[in-house]
Each structure stands twice: as structure tokens, then as C-alpha cells.
């Protein structure tokens, strides 16, 4: 298993949605209507047969329930915890139409997959060797799902990961009240247990290894290398110590130990889901004053409404139509200078004011890695994303892509679906060549 | 307030709700608490030569998390000394003079019947119930359903009881027969003042799939027991109605079988029961359920202008008919209220796999299915599976044909509408 220190900061978090006991799971499972052609399935990017896995919980066929989940989504254990079910399966439960609380699909999925992990149930074996080999660039959820499916088809796979361990953002980037790094690492082991997934860490593509070299080594490629480093803020003093990128900061919290004892007023800049994770994490770690600073209105924030509602409940303050223009302090950030914006996102004259700020976390997105594909002639990059068809194929024969680098940054479950579907396409393509 | 007073063959109780002869009516303390809760009568757990019971004794079906929709037992008649039972009957009757205490009896010989009837009446019984129904244990000893399954034996022993009894005698019938009517008629010939039905149905409630032993398990073995609980109500309703509508049968009926609430009780009353008896639901939930039974029945009667219970007894019997007398030209189709539909499409899969393939996905892409009324046979299946009340209704469609039954068609050539869905 990956190296996860025990005394890391995230360890203090409790699950936001606690696990069901068996009794609770059965009661909830029995509420499911077992819809036909169910809306929840359509809302799931990996199309898990949700009514079927829930029925199997109710009939005490939990092993079968886990098999149904993992057949569609090999990362079903983490997805059960990290999926924004409120806007996916649970949001489309027909009970919403009836004014009845929707089925807690995520919690039921967690129940079945946790049982599978505890019991050591495995459902998939590698197929007989086809002699074909696929290289996967990046070791996050998209590549893991792709590699697992490719192994079921019998293809040889090698994952190239620039960091020292695979797992991607599922390991280093998910809010700890959803899943902690050690549990994510167990899932990586569960996926790897199919056998035959070779991993090369500490190698960047196309830095340490060129695309040409990779193409020579493998019959097909899957590009699943996610997004680049945190975007930075173009504000004066933005390079002061105490101003950090969100993805970096989350990783330190999840895998290391942060000292926040001196932090009184923290500010998180951004309105997306990463920003919402960070404000909640800061409150969870005991920072007294946490503010979300977003240039737009509350209503247009790209972060999920249910996450923002939870953040507010936890004491986070929202500063909307507001932008930091400068940071200052003696050797580290101590103050932020904010300006209010009008409805056209223009600064309002005379609205500048200074607030205390001893930690600023920038969550305004990650840079896109599209330019790294320059060495692949047929691969088209638009707005920093690799363009793919519905079969996850790029324009380059034998090269497929999925996950954040192709979709611009969405959920783990989207990455899993794309990686899995790419494997099916790759298998078909390898059969043709 | 409507009058719920019930009279079953001369046994009068302040309401028609009685405890059935079973564990809830095993002792004076229990029956008194039941009367305090509102029960109008109690049929004392069967007296006879006290037996020894096994452990365990009960089993239950489970469905969607609910336990006891069906229930069975392998318990026998009373295991308490007769003198204790009679003393408690006496004390209870003295304390609750207006409530009905019916003593259930099961013995073998004529002399035994004579003695136990006399002792029951001395204790103050308002009526007797002859247990000719128990389908386990006692029948192996020539009693219970062994009697109830043989009309001649039933008639003879009923005759003995009537010879000795001064209070009304009810005969409790077993459902473990092909046709209930000859058995009711046998009790009538024997002189019974009424019948009570159904007793429990011979059953195996389940199997322990780890130990490979049926349930309930007694050491390494099990035996068939008596099935009861909500799941048996349709069988009991049918048998009640079969007797009620038989032109030769004239006795009052005390209805038993899967009654859990006022509505269930009312269904028995509408099919001819003058009183109803409840066991399983009391075993599962306690005596307190009677509050809803009384209140629900009173409200129903008040809202519809019924003043006395006897106005309801048997009111649905005339509408229980033979299949051959049903109108084949009556035509209904299902209609979905699109504004109520939640899009679960359970109607669609049920129709497609279990009925006539006439409910289809909506061509406009909405999740409200469409019904092909030209193909809909009006079977009700979609309405049954729909989780939304009043979303699917079965609506009569005029087809221009005059009503015609199968019997009329066979006998007089009555014209039938063209068949639907028969390709």
C-alpha cells in the first residue's frame, strides 16, 4: 500500500455522511421502488445498475450487490463517498417527485463496497494474454479504471506516473470528510489486485519519456494525466509566504501535517468545488475565521449549492463580487486588500478595503495540460482539453484520453467512466490492428 | 355515535372485536388488560387436558423489512391447570360483566365434553367455541382439525356440545379442506349457534438455510404449523363469503384470519361476520390496536350514516358471484394521471413482462409512460404496482355492447365484445 503517514492533518476529520449499519442499510434498501429504466442509473456517469444493487442489499445478497456496483465502476468504493450524489443519482431519484426523501444511494453503495472490502470479495480476473500492450500516462482514477478494464480483456498495461505514487487526486485531493488517503490507497490496492498492472513512477511524459518512445513501447496509449498545477493569482504580493494553491494545500493536509495554530483569518479565493472543500476543511481544522472570496454572485458560483449550504452551516462567511487586489505583510501575508465588483465584474471605485488575512488559499482552477500533447500529431487540444470523441478516441490512431485532461476537470466518477470506456474502445481498436 | 354492539348467535359484546383463542387470551390478567384496552370479547385459549409445549413455537415471513405478514405456530392448547383457567374466567367475568367471554374447548370423549362444558358455564362463560380447527399436534391425537375435516364427526360432537350446553355454541372451522361449505353445514346440522372461521392453515413457514431445518426449529427438527397473519386474510374472506352466500347455511359467523385493523375487520363484516377475532396482530403489536379498530369503524359508519352494526353484516355478500355471471362486455382501460406520475415506470415493466405489453415509453421523451388503450385489457396490474395513490385509474370505456355473461352467452347466445389483447 501507498505510504500514508498516520499523524497527517486530515486524520482528525469525521465522515460527513457516516456509514450505515446493516440494519440501516436494509431499511433504506427496502424503500427503493426498483424503478424500471431508472433515472438514477441514467444520472450515474458509470451507469451502475442502482435498483439492482439496492435490491440485493434488501435480499441479503450483499456480495451480489457489490458485484453489480464494481462491474460498472471498479472505483465504486470511493465514488460511494466522493460522488456529488445530490446532483447525480440521488438528485434524480423519483421519490423527489413524490416529495419523499430520496434513496440514499451513496450510503447504500458505501455499505456494499465496504462489505466487499472487509470480506475480500473480488469479482474480476485478468483475461488471457492478448500479447498487446497499452501505456497509460498518469495514475489517477481514469487510468486505474482503464487499466483494470484492459487487464480484464487480457492486454498488458503499464501506468506512467510522474509522482512517486499512483492514485491521483483521489488519493491527494478529496475532502477528508468524504474519504481519507488511507482508504483511497486501499482502493488502489483493490484495483491493482487484478494483477499485471505495471507501474512506473517518477517519470513524466513527455519529459523523461517522449511520446515517440512511448508509442514504440506500446500498441496503444491512454492519456489520463489530469490537470496541471494550481493557477496563481495576479495580485500584488501574491507570492508572499502564506499564499498557497488549493490543490497543493489539500495534498499537504491529506498526506502531511499542517500547523494552523497561528492562523486566525483564512481566505479562500474561488467559487468552485475545490474552494468549497477548502473552506470546510479550514473550519474543520479549527481556523476561527474563514471567508470565501468570489468575484461573482453567490447564485452563479460553480461549486455545488449543497456544499456551500454545508459550508455556511459550518461558519464560513461568503464575500461575493469581491476580488483580492493585493496582499501585504512582514515576511508573510498578514493583510489582504479587497475590492468590490459591479454587475459587469468591474471594480467599484472607492470600494477597496483591507482585511486581516494570515492564510490565503487560491482555488481559481488548475492550469490545463493540453500543451503537453504537442508531440502527438493527431491530438487536438482546445481550451486546454484534449478533444475526444464519445469513444474517448483522440484524432491520433491508437491514442485515447479521459479524465480531467479530456473533460476539463469534473468528478472522479466521470474519470472512471471515461477510463473504462476508453478501455473498451482500445480493446476494439487493438482487435482491428 | 353508531352502536357497535355485536350479537353472534346470542353472544352479545359491546363491539365486534374479540381476541381469538390464542396466546393473547391465555390468562385472566391478559384478558382483563385487553378489555381495559377496549376489546369487546375474548375467546379463552382452548381448554382441554393441559399439554406440554415445545420451544421454539413461532415463525414468521419477512417481506421488505416487515416481519409477520405471515405467521405460524406449533403451540398447542392451554398448558395451564384447568382449575386455574376456570378461576380466572370466573374472576374476569365478574369484573367485566358486559364483555363476552367465550371459552374454547377441545376434548375427546362425550363424558369429557359434558364435564368441561359444565365447568365452563359454572365459571361464567357467555358462549363456547369448539376447537375443530387446530392443524398441528392436536390433530395427531384425533382432535382439532381431525374433527373439523370430517363432517360426520363434526356434526356428532357439535351435537354432544349442544346437548350439554346452555350457552351458545360456536364451531370453529378448519380451512384445511377443499370446500368449507359442507363443514359449516355439518356444524349447522349438529345444532351449532354459529361458526367461527378460519382456524390456521397447515404450513411450513420457512427453512433455516444454514442448518437445513424447517422453521420453527426444535432442536434438529421442525413440524408443520398453523399459518395466520395478514397474508391469510384473502383465504379467510373467501371462506367466510362462501358460507354466507350458501342458500342452505343460516348460522351467524365470527370471522377470523389476518385482521390487523378496522378496515380488515369491516371486510369480514361486509362478507357476513357478526363479530371478528384477532390474534396475530395483537401478538405482534399488543392490545392497543383495538383503539384504531373501534374508532375507524365508528368513523366509517358515522360518515356513511350507518347506525347499527347489523346494517353492515353481509352487505357485500350479494355482490359475490360466480365467474360465469360476470359481465364480459364491461370494459375498462388504465389511465395515467401525468401530473401525478413520478416516472418510476414500474407500470411499464409490469405490463411488458407480466401483462399485455400495452404500456410504452413516451415518444416525447418524458418518463410518463403512454397506454395503448386499443391493447389494454383492463387487468389492473399497472395500478397495483404504481407507488403513487390515484395516479393510475381504471376507467370504464363505453363500447356499445349490452352486458352479457358467459352463462348468458352459452345458454342464450348473448353477443360478446371482441377480445382485446388476444393476438
Amino acid at each position: 500500500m501507498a505510504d500514508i503517514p498516520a499523524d497527517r492533518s486530515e486524520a482528525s476529520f469525521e465522515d460527513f455522511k457516516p456509514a450505515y449499519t446493516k440494519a440501516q442499510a436494509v431499511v433504506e434498501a427496502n424503500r427503493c421502488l426498483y424503478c424500471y429504466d431508472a433515472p438514477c442509473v441514467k444520472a450515474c456517469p458509470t451507469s451502475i445498475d442502482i435498483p439492482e444493487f439496492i435490491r440485493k442489499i434488501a435480499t441479503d445478497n450483499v456480495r451480489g450487490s457489490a458485484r453489480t456496483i464494481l462491474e460498472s465502476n471498479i472505483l465504486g468504493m470511493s465514488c460511494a463517498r466522493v460522488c456529488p450524489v445530490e446532483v447525480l443519482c440521488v438528485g434524480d431519484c423519483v421519490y423527489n417527485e413524490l416529495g419523499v426523501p430520496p434513496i440514499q444511494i451513496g450510503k447504500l453503495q458505501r455499505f456494499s463496497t465496504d462489505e466487499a472490502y472487509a470480506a475480500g470479495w473480488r469479482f474480476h480476473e485478468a483475461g488471457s494474454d492478448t500479447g498487446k500492450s497499452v501505456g497509460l500516462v498518469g495514475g489517477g482514477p481514469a487510468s486505474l479504471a482503464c487499466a483494470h478494464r484492459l487487464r480484464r480483456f487480457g492486454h498488458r498495461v503499464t501506468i506512467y506516473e510522474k509522482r512517486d505514487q499512483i492514485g491521483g487526486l483521489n488519493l491527494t485531493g478529496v475532502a477528508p470528510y468524504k474519504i481519507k488517503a488511507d482508504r483511497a490507497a486501499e482502493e488502489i490496492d483493490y484495483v491493482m489486485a487484478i494483477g499485471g498492472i505495471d507501474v512506473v513512477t517518477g517519470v513524466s511524459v513527455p519529459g523523461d519519456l517522449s511520446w515517440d518512445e512511448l508509442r514504440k513501447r506500446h500498441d496503444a496509449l491512454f492519456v489520463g494525466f489530469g490537470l496541471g498545477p494550481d493557477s496563481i493569482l495576479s495580485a500584488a504580493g501574491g507570492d508572499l509566504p502564506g499564499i498557497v494553491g488549493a490543490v497543493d494545500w489539500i495534498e499537504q493536509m491529506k498526506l502531511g501535517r499542517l500547523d494552523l495554530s497561528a492562523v486566525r483569518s483564512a481566505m479562500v479565493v474561488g467559487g468552485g468545488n475545490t474552494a468549497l472543500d477548502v473552506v470546510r476543511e479550514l473550519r474543520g481544522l479549527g481556523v476561527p475565521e474563514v471567508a470565501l472570496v468570489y468575484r461573482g454572485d453567490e447564485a452563479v458560483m460553480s461549486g455545488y449549492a449543497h456544499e456551500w449550504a454545508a459550508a455556511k452551516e459550518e461558519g464560513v462567511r461568503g464575500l461575493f463580487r469581491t476580488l483580492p487586489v493585493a496582499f501585504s505583510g512582514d515576511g508573510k501575508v498578514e493583510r489582504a486588500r479587497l475590492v468590490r465588483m459591479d454587475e459587469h465584474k468591474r471594480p467599484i471605485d472607492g470600494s477597496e478595503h483591507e482585511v486581516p488575512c494570515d492564510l490565503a488559499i487560491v482555488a481559481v482552477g488548475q492550469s490545463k495540460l493540453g500543451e503537453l500533447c504537442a508531440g502527438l500529431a493527431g491530438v487536438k487540444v482546445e481550451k486546454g482539453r484534449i478533444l475526444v470523441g464519445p469513444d474517448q478516441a483522440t484524432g491520433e490512431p491508437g491514442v485515447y484520453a479521459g479524465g480531467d485532461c479530456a473533460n476539463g476537470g469534473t468528478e472522479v466518477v466521470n474519470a472512471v467512466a471515461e477510463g473504462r470506456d476508453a478501455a473498451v474502445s482500445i480493446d476494439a481498436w487493438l482487435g482491428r490492428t | 355515535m353508531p352502536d357497535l354492539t355485536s350479537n353472534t348467535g346470542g353472544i352479545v359484546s359491546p363491539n365486534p372485536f374479540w381476541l381469538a383463542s390464542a396466546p393473547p387470551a391465555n390468562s385472566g390478567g391478559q384478558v382483563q388488560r385487553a378489555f381495559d384496552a377496549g376489546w369487546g370479547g375474548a375467546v379463552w385459549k382452548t381448554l382441554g387436558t393441559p399439554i406440554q409445549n415445545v420451544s421454539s413455537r413461532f415463525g414468521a415471513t419477512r417481506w421488505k423489512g416487515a416481519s409477520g405478514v405471515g405467521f405460524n405456530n406449533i403451540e398447542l392448547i392451554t398448558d395451564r391447570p384447568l382449575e386455574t383457567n376456570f378461576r380466572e374466567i370466573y374472576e374476569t367475568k365478574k369484573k367485566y360483566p358486559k364483555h363476552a367471554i367465550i371459552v374454547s374447548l377441545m376434548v375427546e370423549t362425550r363424558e369429557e365434553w359434558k364435564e368441561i362444558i359444565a365447568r365452563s358455564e359454572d365459571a361464567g362463560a357467555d358462549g363456547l367455541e369448539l376447537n375443530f380447527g387446530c392443524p398441528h399436534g392436536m390433530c395427531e391425537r384425533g382432535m382439532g382439525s381431525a374433527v373439523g375435516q370430517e363432517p360426520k364427526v363434526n356434526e356428532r360432537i357439535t351435537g354432544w356440545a349442544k346437548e350439554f350446553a346452555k350457552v351458545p355454541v360456536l364451531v370453529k372451522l378448519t380451512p384445511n379442506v377443499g370446500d368449507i361449505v359442507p363443514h359449516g353445514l355439518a356444524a349447522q346440522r349438529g345444532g351449532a349457534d354459529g361458526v367461527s372461521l378460519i382456524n390456521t392453515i397447515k404450513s411450513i413457514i420457512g427453512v433455516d438455510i444454514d442448518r437445513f431445518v424447517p422453521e420453527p426449529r426444535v432442536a434438529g427438527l421442525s413440524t408443520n404449523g398453523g399459518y395466520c397473519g395478514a397474508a391469510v386474510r384473502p383465504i379467510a374472506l373467501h371462506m367466510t363469503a362462501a358460507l354466507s352466500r350458501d342458500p342452505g347455511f343460516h348460522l351467524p359467523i365470527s370471522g377470523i384470519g389476518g385482521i390487523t385493523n378496522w378496515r380488515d375487520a369491516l371486510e369480514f363484516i361486509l362478507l357476513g361476520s357478526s363479530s371478528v377475532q384477532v390474534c396475530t396482530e395483537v401478538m405482534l403489536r399488543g392490545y392497543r390496536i383495538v383503539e384504531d379498530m373501534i374508532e375507524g369503524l365508528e368513523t366509517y359508519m358515522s360518515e356513511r350514516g350507518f347506525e347499527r352494526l347489523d346494517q353492515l353484516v353481509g352487505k357485500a355478500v350479494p355482490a359475490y358471484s360466480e365467474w360465469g355471471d360476470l359481465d364480459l362486455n364491461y370494459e375498462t382501460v388504465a389511465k395515467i394521471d401525468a401530473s401525478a406520475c413520478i416516472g418510476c415506470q414500474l407500470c411499464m415493466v409490469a405490463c411488458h413482462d407480466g401483462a399485455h405489453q400495452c404500456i410504452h415509453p413516451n415518444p416525447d421523451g418524458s418518463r410518463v409512460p403512454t397506454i395503448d388503450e386499443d391493447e389494454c385489457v383492463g387487468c389492473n396490474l399497472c395500478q397495483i404496482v404504481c407507488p403513487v395513490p390515484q395516479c393510475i385509474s381504471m376507467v370504464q370505456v363505453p363500447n356499445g355492447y349490452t352486458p352479457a355473461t358467459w352463462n348468458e352467452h352459452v345458454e342464450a347466445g348473448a353477443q360478446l365484445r371482441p377480445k382485446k389483447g388476444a393476438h
Side-chain angles (χ1 to χ4, degrees):
Chain A
M1 198 167 103
D3 184 27
I4 313 287
D7 65 341
R8 59 201 196 281
S9 293
E10 72 157 3
S12 64
F13 281 88
E14 299 283 338
D15 286 351
F16 183 59
K17 294 179 185 171
Y20 272 146
T21 62
K22 179 163 186 171
Q24 290 168 332
V26 169
V27 168
E28 184 66 0
N30 274 317
R31 287 206 310 126
C32 176
L33 291 172
Y34 197 52
C35 291
Y36 181 68
D37 192 22
C40 55
V41 178
K42 295 183 175 195
C44 173
T46 57
S47 306
I48 293 172
D49 191 343
I50 294 163
E52 195 60 44
F53 95 67
I54 292 177
R55 184 180 179 87
K56 291 174 180 177
I57 294 173
T59 68
D60 199 21
N61 175 13
V62 182
R63 190 181 197 281
S65 173
R67 192 195 61 77
T68 298
I69 295 162
L70 296 168
E71 176 60 33
S72 293
N73 182 340
I74 192 62
L75 270 64
M77 187 276 282
S78 62
C79 286
R81 293 160 159 82
V82 310
C83 263
V85 293
E86 293 82 353
V87 298
L88 295 174
C89 52
V90 174
D92 275 9
C93 175
V94 297
Y95 269 142
N96 292 301
E97 302 288 319
L98 200 55
V100 167
I103 299 296
Q104 292 303 300
I105 298 166
K107 294 181 73 168
L108 289 170
Q109 181 169 322
R110 173 174 174 175
F111 172 77
S112 290
T113 51
D114 280 356
E115 291 280 307
Y117 275 53
W121 296 327
R122 299 190 178 282
F123 305 101
H124 307 110
E125 288 180 3
S128 53
D129 186 17
T130 62
K132 305 278 187 181
S133 156
V134 183
L136 299 93
V137 184
S143 285
L144 284 169
C146 185
H148 189 268
R149 188 58 64 119
L150 287 168
R151 287 300 298 143
R152 289 176 63 186
F153 292 136
H155 305 306
R156 302 170 187 180
V157 299
T158 304
I159 292 175
Y160 298 90
E161 168 60 55
K162 69 175 177 192
R163 309 165 68 97
D164 61 357
Q165 54 194 15
I166 57 170
L169 283 175
N170 228 16
L171 185 74
T172 65
V174 180
Y177 43 84
K178 293 177 184 167
I179 193 169
K180 297 192 187 68
D182 52 347
R183 192 63 173 159
E186 286 177 51
E187 183 172 64
I188 296 165
D189 292 348
Y190 187 89
V191 174
M192 297 297 285
I194 194 169
I197 300 177
D198 292 334
V199 174
V200 181
T201 53
V203 171
S204 68
V205 178
D208 303 325
L209 263 177
S210 71
W211 289 116
D212 282 348
E213 171 61 19
L214 221 52
R215 298 228 59 185
K216 272 183 225 147
R217 288 189 189 180
H218 301 287
D219 300 299
L221 294 184
F222 175 76
V223 183
F225 52 30
L227 298 175
D230 288 303
S231 301
I232 50 166
L233 219 48
S234 55
D239 53 356
L240 278 171
I243 303 175
V244 294
V247 173
D248 269 352
W249 184 84
I250 293 168
E251 180 173 348
Q252 285 174 44
M253 173 199 53
K254 287 186 69 72
L255 298 178
R257 184 101 202 138
L258 295 167
D259 181 7
L260 298 172
S261 56
V263 177
R264 303 255 73 78
S265 300
M267 170 182 297
V268 178
V269 185
N273 284 309
T274 304
L276 296 183
D277 281 354
V278 175
V279 290
R280 297 185 64 188
E281 287 156 0
L282 286 165
R283 285 294 298 143
L285 290 168
V287 174
E289 295 284 336
V290 179
L292 181 87
V293 179
Y294 178 53
R295 64 192 167 126
D297 279 313
E298 186 168 0
V300 301
M301 255 194 319
S302 66
Y304 296 124
H306 64 270
E307 293 282 356
W308 175 232
K312 279 197 283 194
E313 212 162 274
E314 289 159 9
V316 176
R317 208 154 51 97
L319 301 174
F320 297 100
R321 281 205 203 167
T322 301
L323 202 63
V325 288
F327 295 96
S328 56
D330 184 10
K332 64 177 236 354
V333 65
E334 286 166 354
R335 291 170 300 280
R337 192 158 187 79
L338 304 179
V339 64
R340 299 266 300 149
M341 315 283 280
D342 67 14
E343 61 266 37
H344 307 293
K345 294 189 178 171
R346 284 185 307 239
I348 299 171
D349 286 345
S351 70
E352 284 194 21
H353 57 291
E354 208 152 69
V355 296
C357 168
D358 37 29
L359 175 64
I361 297 176
V362 182
V364 296
Q366 288 170 264
S367 62
K368 319 287 194 208
L369 285 178
E371 62 271 21
L372 294 180
C373 298
L376 288 165
V379 174
K380 288 189 188 64
V381 177
E382 205 175 278
K383 291 182 186 166
R385 307 177 192 185
I386 299 172
L387 288 185
V388 292
D391 57 355
Q392 305 301 129
T394 66
E396 177 84 355
V399 179
Y400 297 76
D404 283 355
C405 67
N407 63 34
T410 53
E411 300 296 336
V412 175
V413 68
N414 300 96
V416 172
E418 292 165 19
R420 177 198 68 185
D421 294 348
V424 174
S425 301
I426 290 168
D427 178 63
W429 189 79
L430 289 174
R432 284 200 300 269
T433 56
Chain B
M1 195 62 78
D3 181 3
L4 295 191
T5 302
S6 150
N7 184 336
T8 308
I11 304 170
V12 178
S13 56
N15 64 47
F17 305 116
W18 298 359
L19 293 180
S21 168
N26 189 46
S27 66
Q30 287 175 288
V31 171
Q32 290 174 30
R33 280 194 289 120
F35 287 165
D36 286 342
W39 292 89
V43 186
W44 208 273
K45 184 165 167 87
T46 305
L47 304 185
T49 308
I51 52 72
Q52 171 117 26
N53 273 311
V54 294
S55 98
S56 58
R57 304 177 194 178
F58 304 136
T61 56
R62 288 176 170 76
W63 188 80
K64 291 211 107 182
S67 187
V69 176
F71 192 89
N72 98 338
N73 81 89
I74 56 172
E75 190 172 287
L76 305 182
I77 64 172
T78 189
D79 56 4
R80 310 167 72 227
L82 283 178
E83 46 273 28
T84 309
N85 278 298
F86 287 127
R87 189 183 68 243
E88 291 177 3
I89 291 168
Y90 175 79
E91 289 165 359
T92 306
K93 186 63 206 175
K94 205 169 155 190
K95 208 168 156 190
Y96 298 84
K98 292 197 168 132
H99 290 68
I101 296 182
I102 302 93
V103 180
S104 174
L105 301 173
M106 187 197 290
V107 288
E108 284 190 86
T109 66
R110 186 182 150 92
E111 279 311 304
E112 286 171 333
W113 281 104
K114 183 178 179 182
E115 189 202 334
I116 205 162
I117 287 170
R119 291 179 74 181
S120 301
E121 290 184 343
D122 287 349
D126 297 299
L128 306 172
E129 187 181 82
L130 314 185
N131 183 343
F132 294 170
C134 180
H136 50 88
M138 302 313 292
C139 55
E140 295 174 20
R141 306 177 193 182
M143 293 178 277
S145 63
V147 174
Q149 286 168 331
E150 295 295 335
K152 281 183 182 156
V153 185
N154 169 344
E155 182 182 341
R156 184 169 71 239
I157 297 179
T158 305
W160 294 348
K162 278 303 289 179
E163 187 185 333
F164 305 131
K166 295 188 276 294
V167 297
V169 172
L170 306 180
V171 171
K172 187 165 179 178
L173 299 175
T174 174
N176 297 295
V177 293
D179 177 5
I180 195 72
V181 173
H183 305 277
L185 292 174
Q188 184 172 279
R189 282 196 305 276
D193 300 287
V195 295
S196 41
L197 75 163
I198 59 175
N199 206 311
T200 56
I201 303 167
K202 210 165 212 183
S203 61
I204 288 178
I205 197 74
V207 178
D208 183 328
I209 61 170
D210 297 313
R211 297 186 176 90
F212 310 113
V213 179
E215 293 170 333
R217 183 175 59 86
V218 181
L221 296 175
S222 184
T223 188
N224 53 273
Y227 192 46
C228 52
V232 310
R233 193 169 69 253
I235 296 166
L237 284 174
H238 163 252
M239 291 188 164
T240 301
L243 282 176
S244 291
R245 74 163 179 173
D246 188 89
F249 184 82
H250 310 294
L251 297 181
I253 295 171
S254 186
I256 314 168
I259 295 166
T260 66
N261 57 36
W262 67 272
R263 183 180 290 268
D264 299 342
L266 178 57
E267 291 177 11
F268 275 86
I269 291 166
L270 293 174
L271 287 178
S273 300
S274 302
S275 57
V276 294
Q277 301 184 24
V278 182
C279 165
T280 308
E281 188 68 0
V282 170
M283 287 181 67
L284 298 173
R285 318 277 173 231
Y287 300 124
R288 58 194 170 141
I289 62 165
V290 77
E291 177 179 314
D292 159 71
M293 299 178 89
I294 293 169
E295 196 174 66
L297 184 58
E298 280 175 349
T299 304
Y300 172 89
M301 290 173 69
S302 298
E303 285 175 356
R304 288 164 178 79
F306 294 104
E307 290 163 359
R308 298 184 323 279
L309 197 64
D310 60 10
Q311 294 172 310
L312 293 170
V313 174
K315 203 166 174 52
V317 173
Y320 171 33
S321 158
E322 296 293 330
W323 193 94
D325 291 329
L326 303 180
D327 177 10
L328 289 166
N329 287 343
Y330 174 73
E331 184 173 347
T332 61
V333 295
K335 303 261 189 196
I336 298 175
D337 176 356
S339 68
C341 176
I342 59 173
C344 68
Q345 299 190 348
L346 290 173
C347 57
M348 197 164 81
V349 68
C351 184
H352 205 74
D353 293 357
H356 285 79
Q357 300 85 48
C358 64
I359 304 185
H360 304 293
N362 198 318
D364 74 7
S366 103
R367 288 191 58 87
V368 181
T370 59
I371 292 174
D372 179 353
E373 293 182 8
D374 292 337
E375 290 292 319
C376 175
V377 302
C379 73
N380 291 5
L381 184 62
C382 54
Q383 191 188 41
I384 289 166
V385 298
C386 180
V388 184
Q390 271 88 52
C391 177
I392 296 182
S393 45
M394 306 306 296
V395 178
Q396 185 181 0
V397 285
N399 56 18
Y401 287 83
T402 46
T405 70
W406 175 250
N407 290 338
E408 288 163 350
H409 173 69
V410 170
E411 288 156 18
Q415 195 189 3
L416 304 182
R417 65 183 167 117
K419 285 191 260 187
K420 284 176 90 177
H423 304 291

